[in-house]
Amino acid sequence: MPPTFRHLKRFCEGDRWVLIRSTDHWYYEKVLPDGRVLRTKVSRALQREIPRHLWERILKHQLHITEEEFWKKIR
């Protein structure tokens, strides 16, 4: 099942990311134990599927997890 922006929002909220701004998108960040700060933004079009190329970048560069880890955390 392709992820939607609703899935990404649920992940951020369940994984204790902090909502830092709410404008045209929701902006979240999470400070890791080693001090690194991760950031992502979530479209308000929650029902839209995230395109594969974008989803791969979000996982690798913003969430720093695998797709398998992502799905485990939102179920």
Side-chain angles (χ1 to χ4, degrees):
M1 164 173 68
T4 63
F5 287 104
R6 183 177 315 280
H7 292 121
L8 181 54
K9 187 171 189 326
R10 186 181 332 151
F11 169 84
C12 290
E13 292 169 350
D15 197 41
R16 300 180 185 244
W17 286 59
V18 176
L19 179 65
I20 58 169
R21 186 174 46 189
S22 178
T23 56
D24 57 329
H25 291 76
W26 288 289
Y27 293 83
Y28 289 92
E29 75 176 22
K30 183 174 184 177
V31 179
L32 300 179
D34 66 4
R36 289 182 295 151
V37 178
L38 304 180
R39 291 185 180 92
T40 193
K41 71 178 183 178
V42 180
S43 170
R44 290 187 178 270
L46 294 176
Q47 73 286 355
R48 280 195 51 220
E49 290 181 2
I50 302 172
R52 174 55 53 189
H53 70 281
L54 177 58
W55 178 235
E56 290 170 357
R57 285 189 290 160
I58 290 170
L59 287 171
K60 183 176 181 180
H61 299 290
Q62 296 176 10
L63 305 183
H64 291 238
I65 61 171
T66 65
E67 187 163 7
E68 182 178 305
E69 292 170 314
F70 174 85
W71 289 114
K72 283 181 183 178
K73 288 190 176 198
I74 67 164
R75 291 183 199 245

